[in-house]
Amino acid sequence: MTRQQLIEHIFTKKTFLCVGLDTDIKKIPQHLLGNDDPIFDFNKAIIDATAKYCIAYKPNLAFYECMGTKGLSAFERTVEYLKETYPDHLIIADAKRGDIGNTSAMYARTFFDGYDIDALTVAPYMGEDSVTPFLEYENKWVILLALTSNKGSHDFQLTTDQDGERLFEKVIRKSQAWGTPDNMMYVVGATQGKMFQDIRMLAPDHFLLVPGVGAQGGSLQEVCKYGMTDDCGLIVNSSRGIIYASGDTDFAQVAAIKAMELQREMATELDKVNK
Amino acid sequence: MTRQQLIEHIFTKKTFLCVGLDTDIKKIPQHLLGNDDPIFDFNKAIIDATAKYCIAYKPNLAFYECMGTKGLSAFERTVEYLKETYPDHLIIADAKRGDIGNTSAMYARTFFDGYDIDALTVAPYMGEDSVTPFLEYENKWVILLALTSNKGSHDFQLTTDQDGERLFEKVIRKSQAWGTPDNMMYVVGATQGKMFQDIRMLAPDHFLLVPGVGAQGGSLQEVCKYGMTDDCGLIVNSSRGIIYASGDTDFAQVAAIKAMELQREMATELDKVNK
């Protein structure tokens, strides 16, 4: 998916919501557990219920790997279903990969060639040659961890170097020599509030993938106030707040309501942008 | 596996070699490709040929994920075969995982509960709560990326902060509040030479997992000179230099020879330690 297509979808549908498919067999409604593939069935119901309120889906690989080949198969079926049924939705594999060059190239092949997924989250610690193999695929996206939503983000990401630059700023600055706003985004946690201003100083045009609204306590309004651009520039993810809003047979309907509520807030924010 | 068991294996077998099972379907000998599970058959032959010269095996997940459920099944079979046939060998899953707490907990469950693997490589960028879920398992090891073997290690890992501390040093120092030399190791690339001295100042007792000997150009002698402790304190990995030393029907025999050569060098180094 190109940047232009992404922007069009956002302004047409008036949403920049990403639904996180962190599907945990221990948390899905009991009535699904007798099915052959409860993880896929859960995802399919969530997707069908929420597709009109969002522009992206983000399965986190941890939740699928946890179930071995069965989990991986559910992941593959979910991706296939999305591509067939909702081809305009961006598919983000949240895998936080990153390794030496020849190994990152294998991961890139897996996600971009094999699964033909649109975007992959990548960890920056190992530097340029761990990231660039992912950037060699046309119309695919690297989403580089910059300033994450968790408490541990303070341990290293905020460390200030001798030139006064914080690590997450250095990651954003240096990585702009590797990719462009057309093939690279950054992960910035919704819990980081005013830090979005600092990030927009460095990356005025890049899309930001923003987890942490909902269960983790981030505010959508604050993210938009400090992070939104004329192109929107934001993809805001909610996982647990949508997919586990009800643990009963009405889980998909309740997920739709939660997604719709976020979509309406997002429409209000988008109306502030002159597009 | 406990630290004491690991040390005993090293001094009994006079080796601290880890064989990296970076098994790429595009690089294994052609005569295997007609088999039902060529990846597993290749691994099994390599393992049987090299087991007496090494104390650990390290499959890198990228090479298995690349083949979807088939690859994951080959990974699972390899782990099962190792556990049944060579239960004294440390199994390291090289996956470089790390995510917010509840997601890292899922990865920990996958590798330590599910596969019952001994050790997992973990990326430190997301800080404490991305690492500690892996430390909750008894007799399991977190191997935290500190100073990697690749060129990109210079991009962020060597950044000096306002207190004069480099990022990899901060990772080593801070993480010692999370784990101990009994459940945590660090990845330090063999290509980093004298830096091992700096690392031993901070982590005199921790085992270091050292990739980068062989294809990446690191020197075993230099690693031992600056990094070895009285407990050995090193696990040195070689992947491509062993498993692809021959691309023909004799691949396992040639791998054995390459592993034996490294084992002999290692025996000489271990003889210098008064144990």
Side-chain angles (χ1 to χ4, degrees):
Chain A
M1 186 179 297
T2 67
R3 180 187 165 88
Q4 203 46 48
Q5 288 171 327
L6 176 62
I7 294 168
E8 276 170 26
H9 295 156
I10 288 172
F11 283 92
T12 306
K13 297 179 72 177
K14 292 198 174 298
T15 174
F16 45 96
L17 177 63
C18 174
V19 174
L21 298 170
D22 297 359
T23 309
D24 184 345
I25 192 80
K26 295 190 176 171
K27 288 188 186 161
I28 67 176
Q30 285 223 321
H31 73 280
L32 293 174
L33 297 180
N35 298 11
D36 281 347
D37 190 347
I39 298 287
F40 172 71
D41 292 345
F42 178 85
N43 285 354
K44 181 175 176 299
I46 291 283
I47 290 164
D48 289 336
T50 59
K52 63 177 161 180
Y53 306 118
C54 70
I55 46 88
Y57 287 99
K58 179 173 75 63
N60 186 310
L61 268 289
F63 294 82
Y64 301 88
E65 290 183 12
C66 190
M67 297 186 64
T69 48
K70 251 188 168 171
L72 201 60
S73 163
F75 170 77
E76 290 175 359
R77 289 186 70 198
T78 302
V79 170
E80 275 165 30
Y81 182 72
L82 277 170
K83 294 187 80 72
E84 279 167 19
T85 322
Y86 304 101
D88 289 344
H89 282 69
L90 188 82
I91 308 175
I92 302 167
D94 195 359
K96 300 185 175 71
R97 297 298 194 261
D99 208 312
I100 62 171
N102 76 316
T103 308
S104 273
M106 294 295 282
Y107 281 128
R109 202 203 289 178
T110 304
F111 288 101
F112 292 156
D113 253 356
Y115 295 126
D116 194 19
I117 270 168
D118 300 295
L120 182 75
T121 57
V122 175
Y125 190 76
M126 292 180 68
E128 181 172 359
D129 57 315
S130 71
V131 176
T132 49
F134 296 103
L135 291 164
E136 286 169 14
Y137 290 76
E138 211 174 345
N139 296 332
K140 302 293 185 187
W141 296 84
V142 163
I143 310 183
L144 201 60
L145 300 186
L147 188 57
T148 57
S149 58
N150 63 323
K151 187 163 166 266
S153 65
H154 291 248
D155 288 327
F156 307 118
Q157 297 166 24
L158 295 178
T159 300
T160 305
D161 72 12
Q162 290 182 318
D163 301 320
E165 188 172 45
R166 288 168 292 187
L167 180 59
F168 76 91
E169 292 171 320
K170 186 166 186 175
V171 166
I172 292 172
R173 181 179 55 78
K174 279 192 82 95
S175 61
Q176 292 190 44
W178 314 336
T180 71
D182 290 323
N183 65 3
M184 203 161 55
M185 307 186 191
Y186 298 105
V187 173
V188 181
T191 50
Q192 301 294 353
K194 282 194 177 174
M195 297 282 231
F196 278 84
Q197 281 182 316
D198 302 340
I199 284 160
R200 281 295 175 216
M201 298 280 281
L202 283 164
D205 296 325
H206 286 74
F207 265 83
L208 307 179
L209 173 64
V210 184
V213 162
Q216 293 181 63
S219 149
L220 179 65
Q221 285 69 33
E222 209 171 52
V223 168
C224 293
K225 184 173 174 188
Y226 300 115
M228 190 173 266
T229 69
D230 286 349
D231 288 335
C232 178
L234 298 170
I235 297 175
V236 170
N237 183 77
S238 176
S239 301
R240 288 171 272 178
I242 292 176
I243 69 173
Y244 301 131
S246 161
D248 217 327
T249 50
D250 63 350
F251 72 98
Q253 292 100 298
V254 178
I257 292 166
K258 292 293 172 187
M260 186 188 66
E261 286 170 5
L262 278 168
Q263 183 271 321
R264 287 193 179 161
E265 287 182 57
M266 289 177 177
T268 306
E269 298 294 336
L270 285 171
D271 282 344
K272 298 176 189 167
V273 178
N274 291 319
K275 192 87 186 173
Chain B
M1 186 179 296
T2 67
R3 180 185 164 88
Q4 203 47 49
Q5 287 170 327
L6 175 63
I7 294 168
E8 276 171 27
H9 294 156
I10 288 172
F11 283 92
T12 305
K13 295 179 73 177
K14 293 198 175 295
T15 174
F16 45 98
L17 176 63
C18 174
V19 175
L21 298 171
D22 298 359
T23 309
D24 184 347
I25 192 81
K26 294 189 176 174
K27 289 188 186 161
I28 66 176
Q30 285 222 321
H31 72 279
L32 293 174
L33 296 179
N35 298 12
D36 281 347
D37 190 348
I39 297 287
F40 173 71
D41 292 344
F42 178 84
N43 285 353
K44 182 176 176 300
I46 291 284
I47 289 165
D48 289 335
T50 58
K52 64 177 161 181
Y53 306 118
C54 70
I55 46 87
Y57 287 98
K58 179 173 77 62
N60 186 310
L61 268 289
F63 293 83
Y64 301 87
E65 289 183 13
C66 191
M67 299 187 62
T69 48
K70 251 188 168 171
L72 201 60
S73 164
F75 170 76
E76 290 175 0
R77 289 186 70 198
T78 302
V79 171
E80 276 165 30
Y81 183 72
L82 277 170
K83 295 187 79 71
E84 278 167 19
T85 322
Y86 304 100
D88 288 344
H89 282 68
L90 188 81
I91 307 176
I92 302 167
D94 196 358
K96 300 186 175 70
R97 297 297 194 262
D99 207 311
I100 62 172
N102 76 315
T103 308
S104 273
M106 293 294 283
Y107 281 128
R109 203 202 289 176
T110 304
F111 288 101
F112 292 156
D113 253 354
Y115 296 126
D116 194 19
I117 270 168
D118 300 295
L120 182 74
T121 57
V122 175
Y125 190 76
M126 293 180 68
E128 180 171 358
D129 56 315
S130 72
V131 177
T132 49
F134 296 104
L135 291 164
E136 287 169 13
Y137 291 76
E138 211 174 344
N139 296 333
K140 302 292 184 186
W141 296 84
V142 163
I143 311 183
L144 202 59
L145 301 186
L147 188 56
T148 56
S149 57
N150 62 323
K151 187 161 165 267
S153 65
H154 291 247
D155 287 325
F156 307 118
Q157 297 165 23
L158 295 177
T159 300
T160 305
D161 71 13
Q162 289 182 318
D163 301 322
E165 188 172 45
R166 287 168 291 187
L167 180 59
F168 76 91
E169 292 170 320
K170 188 168 185 175
V171 166
I172 292 172
R173 181 178 56 78
K174 278 191 83 95
S175 61
Q176 292 191 43
W178 313 336
T180 71
D182 289 323
N183 65 1
M184 203 161 55
M185 307 185 189
Y186 298 104
V187 173
V188 181
T191 50
Q192 300 294 352
K194 282 194 177 174
M195 296 282 231
F196 278 84
Q197 280 182 318
D198 302 341
I199 284 160
R200 281 295 174 216
M201 297 281 281
L202 283 164
D205 296 324
H206 285 74
F207 264 83
L208 308 179
L209 173 65
V210 184
V213 162
Q216 293 182 63
S219 148
L220 179 65
Q221 284 68 33
E222 209 170 53
V223 168
C224 293
K225 183 173 175 189
Y226 300 115
M228 191 172 265
T229 69
D230 286 349
D231 288 333
C232 177
L234 297 171
I235 298 175
V236 170
N237 183 77
S238 177
S239 302
R240 290 171 271 178
I242 292 176
I243 68 174
Y244 301 132
S246 161
D248 217 327
T249 51
D250 63 351
F251 71 97
Q253 292 100 298
V254 179
I257 292 166
K258 293 291 171 187
M260 187 189 66
E261 285 170 5
L262 278 168
Q263 183 271 321
R264 288 196 180 157
E265 286 182 59
M266 288 177 178
T268 306
E269 297 294 337
L270 285 170
D271 282 343
K272 297 176 189 167
V273 178
N274 291 320
K275 191 87 185 175

